Amino acid sequence: MRSEYLKILLICFCCICTNCNNDIEKESKSDLINFHIKKSRDVTKTIGERKKYLLDAHQMIRKMKENADKVNALYLISLEFYELKDWQNYKLVCESSLKLSRKISDSIKIARHLGNLGMYYRQVKIDSAYINFYEAEKIYSLFDKNKNMNQVNYAFNHGKTLIDLAKLYRKVKDYSQSEALTVKAIEKFKISGNQSYLPLCYSNLGTTAKYLRRYDDAITYHQKAIEYANGTNKEVLYAVLSNNNIGTVYKSQKKYDKAKEYYNKGLIYKDFLKEKPRRYAMLLDNLAYVNLLSKNYESLPNDFYKPLKIRDSINDKIGLGTNTLHLAEYYKSLNNDSLSRIYAERAKDIALDLKNNEELSRSYDILIEVSNNEKSLKYAKAHIKLNDSLIREERVFRDKFARIRFETDQKEQQIIEVQNQNTIYLLGMLLLLSGIGFAIYFFRQRTQHLAQQNKMVQFQASYETETRISKRLHDELGNDIFQVMLQYQNDPHDPQIKEKLNTSYLKARDISRENNEFETDETFSEELNNMLHNYTQNGIQLMARGLDRIDWDHISKPIKITVYRVLQELMTNMQKHSKAKLVVLIFSNIDNILRIKYSDNGVGVTKEHLQSKNGLRNTEKRIQAIQGTLIFESEKDKGFKAEIKIPN
């Protein structure tokens, strides 16, 4: 015996040690991964060294178990690859994260990684970017419809996806859609409590408003961008950007003095601009261009050459294209066609290289005017071709976006249908079990209630009713659901399955009405009226006269319960067997006798059949139990009538 105890203790000790070792190993691996990620952020090291740390961390992560921890670790290194502009490794890690998130069915992470992939594709393939952003947005929108989900947990990432979509729409010049998505993004960022993206959102609103020629709105939005950036690490950045953007809005309005004022406001941040020569050159060039437009040539062309030199030194091709275009305009205004042509040609080449069609179009405009007839004609044809292709390209992208939305919605609908079909079997079983449980519960409750009141006649009637309900659950509902399950096994895509399941649901609801609880106090009249009208389906009309004239408050509870159940039985019988289209009920209470006359225009029944119907016999017993009378009158094909008299 002692040796057995020792064995058990030894096994327990080994298990504890193994678990401890596993935990230690897990912690040490996690620490090692975090160490490599931290090293990759060390700006004192070369880009190659930092990438090496990330690649080593990635190798360690790949050996981890496929769970949420692994997804989170992949997400962290994807951010570092993005910071290092290592796009291929960024894409690789994002795809791995997305695949694993789908495998473990983590919808929030699926949406997040779709958004990350969209960030990669927006640099290389705009329609692929749109697919990823749109699919992510659809997932987040489904979360919004789920009241059990806390929006705070995903609102920030939802906002990022919305603003990314907004920027894509702006790129294809769908400014209204861009504006709508940006407004929605702002709402999400406010819900999240993280407002770091609000300056970007208002900056985008300002840009779209300018293109929509809502200049006052554009200025207001750019000022809001400055306001929301105040006190953050992007305060100076947005002070420079937004002042530049406000200057550009005034330039579009030809308010050149106001434009200069705001360009100069941007230029006061000298320390920042010293570290950001590209932005410094942008402000200088814009200021020089406003002087050109306002015909203030005093410091030109030197004011153009200064930013040109800066841009050339840092190989800012986008800036060089704009700068040379401005110089071409300047020399054209002086009628110096040769110099204007040189800069316009250079601007054209840069625009072709960068696929900047807007500046390419402006280059052709200048070249048409400053070239000889032969070349001018050549540039004119190129300009016409470019304009046609621009219109076609914008239409193509908009059509692509529309097609992507349609296909994504179709795919989502197919997924929902498959999920619905896969749950039919379970729903059927739950419905059947619920029905059986319902019958057992109410049978017990009613039995106890009636036994306490010691009303054996009512008990017998109730017992027969409960027996009938149980039989209906088994014979009707149970068989229906069994047929649905067999049909699902044969063909899960059969469209009749949903219809049959809906029929079973309606049948279960019908059965439940036969024995549900109802109010017998001041709302009894309303309860009775609602119950009666529940049977007016499939074109059946109900006329209930005098119901609202009965003073139900002075009628006892047993009588009200009996009236409710008897009328419920008559209406159920009518709905199942009579094929009636009209039911008439007349209520009166004269000389303390409650009278209810029932009639319908159904097929009726013979006297023999009338005597054999258990349900109708039960109603008669219920009425007799409270010293009332119930008289039936019916003939084949002449409808059905009943008269109830109850002393009260």
Side-chain angles (χ1 to χ4, degrees):
M1 181 66 71
R2 185 178 178 184
S3 62
E4 291 296 321
Y5 282 132
L6 287 171
K7 285 181 181 178
I8 293 170
L9 286 171
L10 183 61
I11 291 169
C12 291
F13 178 75
C14 289
C15 289
I16 292 169
C17 289
T18 302
N19 288 334
C20 287
N21 287 335
N22 287 340
D23 289 342
I24 291 168
E25 185 180 348
K26 183 178 178 181
E27 286 183 17
S28 62
K29 185 179 289 186
S30 176
D31 289 342
L32 193 57
I33 291 169
N34 289 332
F35 169 79
H36 279 74
I37 293 174
K38 187 177 179 181
K39 283 289 185 182
S40 73
R41 297 171 182 157
D42 187 350
V43 294
T44 64
K45 298 186 181 300
T46 66
I47 296 296
E49 289 173 331
R50 293 168 68 184
K51 285 183 183 179
K52 178 68 168 56
Y53 279 114
L54 283 179
L55 291 171
D56 289 344
H58 189 207
Q59 286 301 318
M60 286 183 274
I61 293 168
R62 289 175 65 180
K63 295 175 183 177
M64 290 173 64
K65 289 183 179 179
E66 295 188 331
N67 54 28
D69 289 338
K70 185 172 182 177
V71 175
N72 290 333
L74 287 169
Y75 175 68
L76 288 175
I77 65 167
S78 72
L79 295 179
E80 301 307 321
F81 278 126
Y82 184 85
E83 287 297 318
L84 294 175
K85 296 182 171 52
D86 186 346
W87 305 121
Q88 285 307 118
N89 277 312
Y90 173 75
K91 178 191 175 189
L92 177 68
V93 175
C94 286
E95 287 173 339
S96 299
S97 302
L98 178 59
K99 184 178 179 181
L100 181 53
S101 297
R102 282 177 169 150
K103 190 172 183 179
I104 64 175
S105 301
D106 191 329
S107 298
I108 287 181
K109 289 184 172 64
I110 291 171
R112 184 173 69 182
H113 294 303
L114 282 168
N116 289 347
L117 270 177
M119 288 165 62
Y120 164 78
Y121 280 113
R122 72 184 175 195
Q123 308 291 335
V124 292
K125 198 175 181 184
I126 190 171
D127 51 341
S128 294
Y130 185 82
I131 289 171
N132 284 280
F133 287 138
Y134 185 73
E135 287 186 358
E137 204 283 320
K138 291 292 289 182
I139 295 172
Y140 289 128
S141 294
L142 287 174
F143 291 163
D144 286 347
K145 295 175 184 177
N146 186 345
K147 294 181 180 178
N148 294 324
M149 291 199 71
N150 186 352
Q151 285 197 42
V152 175
N153 295 334
Y154 62 86
F156 180 72
N157 285 322
H158 191 184
K160 283 172 61 179
T161 299
L162 287 166
I163 192 62
D164 280 323
L165 277 171
K167 289 192 288 185
L168 287 186
Y169 275 110
R170 195 186 81 197
K171 196 168 186 176
V172 298
K173 298 186 179 180
D174 190 344
Y175 301 120
S176 297
Q177 184 67 8
S178 178
E179 186 176 49
L181 287 168
T182 307
V183 170
K184 192 175 175 182
I186 289 170
E187 293 173 3
K188 295 300 175 182
F189 289 130
K190 288 183 177 179
I191 289 171
S192 75
N194 185 341
Q195 300 189 5
S196 59
Y197 272 70
L198 289 186
L200 172 63
C201 291
Y202 281 107
S203 182
N204 190 64
L205 284 177
T207 303
T208 55
K210 189 199 84 165
Y211 282 119
L212 292 169
R213 299 180 185 277
R214 296 195 340 253
Y215 297 119
D216 289 343
D217 287 343
I219 291 167
T220 300
Y221 287 137
H222 286 308
Q223 287 171 338
K224 275 187 170 290
I226 295 172
E227 178 187 330
Y228 277 101
N230 281 341
T232 72
N233 60 351
K234 294 184 178 179
E235 180 177 348
V236 177
L237 171 65
Y238 277 97
V240 171
L241 286 178
S242 297
N243 280 309
N244 176 74
N245 291 336
I246 293 171
T248 303
V249 173
Y250 281 121
K251 182 192 73 179
S252 300
Q253 295 177 281
K254 298 183 179 180
K255 297 178 179 179
Y256 300 126
D257 288 339
K258 292 292 289 182
K260 291 176 192 177
E261 177 188 336
Y262 279 91
Y263 288 139
N264 281 314
K265 279 186 178 182
L267 284 166
I268 66 174
Y269 298 94
K270 298 186 183 301
D271 291 339
F272 173 83
L273 294 173
K274 188 176 180 180
E275 295 179 2
K276 305 289 183 182
R278 185 170 64 85
R279 301 193 189 283
Y280 180 46
M282 173 187 69
L283 282 163
L284 290 175
D285 185 32
N286 284 340
L287 187 58
Y289 189 55
V290 169
N291 282 327
L292 170 63
L293 294 174
S294 61
K295 302 190 184 303
N296 179 9
Y297 294 91
E298 185 179 344
S299 57
L300 301 179
N302 291 334
D303 284 355
F304 282 125
Y305 286 124
K306 185 176 180 180
L308 185 68
K309 184 178 179 181
I310 295 171
R311 284 166 162 168
D312 196 34
S313 68
I314 59 174
N315 196 29
D316 176 13
K317 286 189 176 182
I318 296 174
L320 285 169
T322 306
N323 222 145
T324 50
L325 197 57
H326 289 166
L327 277 164
E329 285 189 50
Y330 167 71
Y331 284 112
K332 182 172 78 72
S333 70
L334 299 178
N335 296 317
N336 189 339
D337 290 352
S338 59
L339 275 176
S340 177
R341 189 165 53 251
I342 290 170
Y343 283 110
E345 284 279 3
R346 188 177 175 190
K348 172 184 71 73
D349 293 340
I350 293 172
L352 284 169
D353 184 42
L354 296 175
K355 297 180 180 178
N356 187 335
N357 291 322
E358 186 176 338
E359 294 201 344
L360 180 59
S361 178
R362 289 174 62 193
S363 301
Y364 284 141
D365 279 335
I366 295 171
L367 286 167
I368 290 167
E369 292 188 42
V370 298
S371 301
N372 58 38
N373 290 339
E374 186 179 343
K375 285 192 174 182
S376 179
L377 181 61
K378 184 184 95 173
Y379 289 129
K381 289 179 179 177
H383 196 208
I384 293 168
K385 185 178 179 182
L386 174 65
N387 284 338
D388 290 343
S389 69
L390 283 175
I391 295 169
R392 187 166 56 251
E393 184 180 280
E394 287 170 16
R395 190 187 303 120
V396 164
F397 275 119
R398 290 188 188 186
D399 290 345
K400 276 186 178 181
F401 286 5
R403 189 178 69 252
I404 289 165
R405 290 196 298 273
F406 174 76
E407 290 174 352
T408 303
D409 292 347
Q410 286 288 99
K411 185 164 62 175
E412 178 187 312
Q413 186 60 36
Q414 290 170 4
I415 291 169
I416 291 170
E417 288 175 3
V418 169
Q419 289 173 340
N420 288 342
Q421 290 164 357
N422 289 338
T423 57
I424 286 175
Y425 186 88
L426 178 60
L427 286 173
M429 291 298 293
L430 286 173
L431 191 59
L432 180 59
L433 291 172
S434 298
I436 293 170
F438 161 82
I440 293 170
Y441 171 77
F442 278 104
F443 173 73
R444 287 178 178 174
Q445 293 294 314
R446 185 62 65 189
T447 301
Q448 291 172 6
H449 177 68
L450 294 177
Q452 290 171 359
Q453 292 186 335
N454 198 24
K455 293 184 178 180
M456 295 307 298
V457 176
Q458 281 185 293
F459 172 78
Q460 180 64 28
S462 178
Y463 176 80
E464 290 179 5
T465 300
E466 302 299 349
T467 302
R468 186 178 73 256
I469 290 173
S470 298
K471 190 173 187 301
R472 286 189 67 191
L473 284 168
H474 178 271
D475 295 347
E476 297 179 32
L477 191 59
N479 288 338
D480 285 355
I481 293 172
F482 181 70
Q483 291 298 320
V484 170
M485 290 188 290
L486 286 178
Q487 195 165 351
Y488 175 73
Q489 289 174 347
N490 292 331
D491 182 8
H493 302 284
D494 191 333
Q496 292 184 351
I497 291 176
K498 285 184 181 179
E499 184 180 342
K500 287 186 177 181
L501 189 59
N502 186 54
T503 302
S504 298
Y505 163 72
L506 293 173
K507 193 173 288 185
R509 189 180 65 179
D510 177 48
I511 294 171
S512 73
R513 288 186 186 130
E514 293 192 37
N515 208 31
N516 61 343
E517 291 296 330
F518 56 88
E519 295 292 336
T520 58
D521 53 17
E522 63 273 4
T523 63
F524 175 75
S525 177
E526 184 180 345
E527 290 275 348
L528 182 59
N529 188 54
N530 289 341
M531 180 274 290
L532 293 170
H533 279 88
N534 279 334
Y535 290 88
T536 58
Q537 299 176 17
N538 303 322
I540 298 172
Q541 289 185 311
L542 173 69
M543 294 176 60
R545 295 180 177 175
L547 173 61
D548 54 344
R549 297 196 192 99
I550 304 297
D551 186 3
W552 295 102
D553 291 342
H554 290 87
I555 294 176
S556 67
K557 183 175 179 179
I559 290 176
K560 285 190 274 193
I561 292 173
T562 301
V563 167
Y564 189 99
R565 295 300 183 203
V566 168
L567 290 179
Q568 191 176 50
E569 179 65 40
L570 291 176
M571 296 298 288
T572 300
N573 189 69
M574 175 275 301
Q575 192 180 58
K576 290 179 184 175
H577 307 297
S578 75
K579 299 181 181 177
K581 293 298 179 185
L582 175 66
V583 176
V584 178
L585 282 165
I586 301 173
F587 295 78
S588 64
N589 192 7
I590 303 171
D591 298 329
N592 293 327
I593 301 293
L594 177 64
R595 288 181 173 84
I596 304 171
K597 291 184 179 181
Y598 170 95
S599 63
D600 67 45
N601 64 350
V603 296
V605 292
T606 62
K607 290 183 179 179
E608 294 79 12
H609 192 199
L610 190 64
Q611 292 173 353
S612 67
K613 289 185 73 66
N614 290 333
L616 295 178
R617 288 210 315 272
N618 286 338
T619 60
E620 195 171 11
K621 289 177 183 179
R622 283 184 183 272
I623 296 296
Q624 290 171 355
I626 53 172
Q627 287 76 52
T629 60
L630 174 58
I631 300 171
F632 298 116
E633 182 183 338
S634 180
E635 291 183 36
K636 191 70 173 173
D637 299 323
K638 291 188 178 180
F640 180 83
K641 296 179 181 178
E643 184 175 7
I644 302 166
K645 293 181 182 179
I646 305 169
N648 59 84

